[in-house]
């Protein structure tokens, strides 16, 4: 009954949350064309780079455990406001329009189609109780409903908030934070895994999760994130 009610709501006219055009989708096509434009990014960490530069200097010096990482947009207005409503205000309905933003990226379909497993970045039980739902899982369910498995990658350790920490401090903060469910480790061995997340700041969480997956035999680990936080001083 709930699914039928949601489907009926989706048929009703609405107002674009960005430009306020009416009637329209939650995110209208004009706003998507304006604000969800793919830009050149480092293939390994998704930071914006000059055209023609596939890998940033940081990833050349210290390659991350992700084989590839794609971000649909930068974590700035309007996406920072949309993610805030989705992630912190309990508005789980934002998962559908934000998943559509992800799907617009030219590499998104390839990453999804070539993955054997699509895993959402997990939340600790404490964080899950606080938010009421895992925003990464809601995105993953819409991107790959047939291959999304929320039970493989776990977060048994609740860590303090990462905001304000350097990448090195974040990595230390995340030691032991992720684990693969022991009874599902064989499902990862020899497989290509795609991690889904909403916001990537330094990449520490994705890197920590990728290392755990590689330890149980994942042959490839890639990432697909909605928004990438620009580095300090970026303009």
């Amino acid at each position: 009954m709930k699914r039928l009610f949601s489907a009926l709501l989706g048929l009703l006219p609405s107002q674009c949350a960005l430009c306020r055009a009416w009637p329209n989708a939650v995110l209208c096509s004009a706003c998507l064309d304006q604000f969800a434009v793919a830009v050149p990014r480092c293939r390994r960490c998704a930071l914006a780079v000059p055209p023609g530069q596939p890998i940033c200097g940081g990833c050349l010096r210290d390659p991350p455990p992700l084989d590839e990482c794609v971000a649909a947009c930068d974590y700035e207005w309007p996406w920072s406001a949309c993610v805030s409503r989705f992630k912190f205000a309990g508005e789980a309905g934002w998962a559908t329009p934000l998943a559509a933003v992800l799907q617009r990226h030219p590499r998104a379909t390839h990453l999804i189609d070539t993955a054997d497993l699509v895993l959402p970045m997990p939340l600790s039980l404490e964080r899950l109780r606080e938010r009421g739902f895992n925003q990464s899982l809601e995105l993953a369910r819409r991107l790959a409903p047939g291959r999304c498995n929320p039970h493989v990658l776990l977060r048994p350790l609740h860590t303090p908030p990462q905001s304000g920490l350097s990448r090195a401090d974040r990595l230390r903060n995340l030691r032991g934070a992720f684990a693969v469910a022991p009874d599902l480790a064989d499902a990862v061995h020899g497989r290509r895994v795609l991690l889904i997340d909403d916001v990537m700041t330094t990449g520490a969480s994705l890197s920590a999760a990728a290392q755990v997956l590689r330890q149980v035999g994942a042959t490839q680990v890639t990432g697909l994130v909605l928004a990438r936080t620009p580095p300090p001083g970026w303009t």
Side-chain angles (χ1 to χ4, degrees):
M1 188 68 181
K2 182 184 287 187
R3 289 185 179 180
L4 176 60
F5 181 69
S6 297
L8 290 173
L9 284 178
L11 297 176
L12 297 175
S14 62
Q15 184 181 41
C16 174
L18 303 184
C19 70
R20 303 301 179 185
W22 177 278
N24 227 312
V26 177
L27 296 173
C28 74
S29 58
C31 285
L32 289 175
D33 289 342
Q34 180 178 357
F35 298 113
V37 179
V39 301
R41 294 182 182 275
C42 173
R43 189 176 178 88
R44 301 295 295 274
C45 74
L47 276 179
V49 293
Q53 180 180 330
I55 308 292
C56 73
C59 289
L60 287 173
R61 292 189 301 271
D62 185 18
L66 289 170
D67 294 286
E68 181 177 358
C69 188
V70 165
C73 52
D74 281 312
Y75 188 60
E76 57 183 12
W77 194 90
W79 307 119
S80 55
C82 296
V83 169
S84 181
R85 292 178 62 177
F86 175 40
K87 190 172 182 175
F88 303 116
E91 298 184 21
W94 271 96
T96 297
L98 293 179
V101 174
L102 271 165
Q103 289 173 316
R104 284 172 59 93
H105 193 282
R107 290 288 294 173
T109 298
H110 172 78
L111 290 181
I112 294 168
D113 290 348
T114 56
D116 300 308
L117 283 172
V118 177
L119 307 181
M121 289 293 287
L123 295 178
S124 66
L125 288 177
E126 290 86 349
R127 194 73 72 218
L128 188 58
R129 292 191 192 103
E130 176 186 314
R131 293 184 184 164
F133 65 96
N134 181 347
Q135 69 282 351
S136 299
L137 173 57
E138 295 305 316
L139 291 173
R141 281 175 170 162
R142 287 156 176 80
L143 294 170
R147 280 166 296 139
C148 168
N149 190 329
H151 307 296
V152 174
L153 185 63
L154 310 176
R155 188 157 185 168
L157 180 64
H158 178 63
T159 56
Q162 297 275 79
S163 57
L165 298 180
S166 67
R167 176 175 169 79
D169 288 338
R170 285 170 182 256
L171 287 170
R172 281 191 290 270
N173 194 37
L174 290 167
R175 286 175 184 167
F178 298 100
V180 173
D183 59 332
L184 294 175
D186 288 344
V188 178
H189 186 80
R191 302 297 182 90
R192 296 166 296 184
V193 180
L194 173 63
L195 293 169
I196 303 293
D197 206 359
D198 57 342
V199 178
M200 179 180 183
T201 303
T202 66
S205 295
L206 284 165
S207 292
Q211 288 172 344
V212 166
L213 292 165
R214 290 195 180 280
Q215 287 169 3
V216 296
T219 58
Q220 182 185 73
V221 185
T222 55
L224 179 60
V225 302
L226 173 66
R228 179 62 155 105
T229 301
W234 182 90
T235 56

